[in-house]
């Protein structure tokens, strides 16, 4: 009886594997074109957007075309579960071209000797964020998102001229 059950389980696993492969074959990955970090380098010029943001607001400070530095490129991360906030960049058609995880740059932690029993160990701050985008990307909107266990929620969207 155990041998027949084992063969049946293997057949079901094989069927599910081929079913999953056939489903992914229908997806056109070119529709969801996201700019990759491979196009960005220290030696190529890029468009750099300087944002000033808080946990509930975002302002575009400046936009310039120059060569990015190491610090700006290092922050070019994909979104992970650990990121509390994210930046999303859209083109003129409203399609996403970049999604960056930025962690939690709006909360400063402070611990001092003598305050170990205190409930407050920090507070919200304002942070400057640089977004590096290749010159060929036509950016129209930049959005600040917050992430929790249920997904992403848009906090603020600004139009880039």
């Amino acid at each position: 009886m155990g041998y027949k059950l084992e063969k049946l389980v293997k057949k079901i696993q094989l069927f599910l594997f081929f079913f999953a492969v056939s489903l992914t074959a229908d997806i056109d990955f070119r529709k969801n074109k996201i700019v990759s970090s491979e196009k960005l380098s220290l030696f190529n010029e890029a468009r750099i957007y300087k944002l000033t943001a808080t946990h509930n607001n975002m302002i575009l400070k400046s936009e310039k075309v120059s060569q990015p530095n190491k610090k700006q490129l290092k922050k070019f991360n994909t979104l992970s579960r650990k990121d509390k906030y994210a930046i999303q960049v859209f083109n003129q058609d409203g399609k996403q071209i970049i999604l960056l995880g930025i962690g939690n740059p709006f909360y400063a932690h402070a611990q001092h000797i003598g305050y170990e029993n205190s409930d407050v160990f920090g507070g919200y701050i304002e942070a400057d964020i640089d977004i590096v985008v290749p010159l060929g990307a036509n950016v129209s909107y930049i959005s600040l998102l917050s992430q929790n266990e249920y997904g992403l929620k848009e906090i603020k969207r600004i139009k880039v001229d």
Side-chain angles (χ1 to χ4, degrees):
M1 180 70 177
Y3 176 72
K4 288 182 182 180
L5 183 61
E6 184 179 329
K7 282 181 72 173
L8 179 66
V9 169
K10 285 186 180 182
K11 285 181 183 179
I12 291 172
Q13 287 176 342
L14 191 61
F15 172 74
L16 290 176
F17 172 75
F18 283 117
F19 181 72
V21 168
S22 68
L23 284 179
T24 58
D26 295 337
I27 298 173
D28 186 9
F29 291 104
R30 291 173 290 177
K31 288 181 184 176
N32 300 329
K33 184 179 177 186
I34 296 177
V35 178
S36 68
S37 61
E38 296 171 355
K39 296 180 182 178
L40 301 172
S41 74
L42 294 171
F43 309 109
N44 295 335
E45 285 192 338
R47 192 172 306 278
I48 301 171
Y49 296 96
K50 183 175 272 308
L51 304 170
T52 299
T54 62
H55 68 284
N56 59 4
N57 197 11
M58 178 174 60
I59 299 168
L60 178 66
K61 287 289 189 177
S62 67
E63 171 188 345
K64 67 179 180 177
V65 175
S66 68
Q67 291 179 339
N69 60 30
K70 286 182 184 181
K71 183 179 175 185
Q72 291 168 334
L73 289 179
K74 187 176 181 181
K75 292 191 176 199
F76 196 92
N77 297 324
T78 56
L79 182 65
S80 71
R81 280 188 255 149
K82 293 180 181 180
D83 291 317
K84 178 131 172 83
Y85 294 96
I87 297 288
Q88 196 172 24
V89 181
F90 298 96
N91 64 7
Q92 287 108 351
D93 300 331
K95 295 189 179 192
Q96 171 186 313
I97 55 174
I98 293 178
L99 180 62
L100 301 172
I102 59 173
N104 189 359
F106 311 122
Y107 192 80
H109 295 276
Q111 292 184 357
H112 296 286
I113 297 174
Y115 292 94
E116 289 86 3
N117 297 328
S118 175
D119 293 333
V120 179
F121 283 109
Y124 287 102
I125 61 169
E126 192 174 84
D128 291 329
I129 302 168
D130 292 337
I131 301 172
V132 181
V133 180
L135 286 176
N138 296 323
V139 176
S140 185
Y141 294 98
I142 299 175
S143 184
L144 177 65
L145 307 168
S146 67
Q147 179 178 231
N148 59 18
E149 63 271 7
Y150 302 112
L152 294 169
K153 177 184 170 189
E154 186 172 72
I155 297 171
K156 174 93 183 221
R157 181 182 288 204
I158 56 174
K159 182 164 178 53
V160 178
D161 296 327

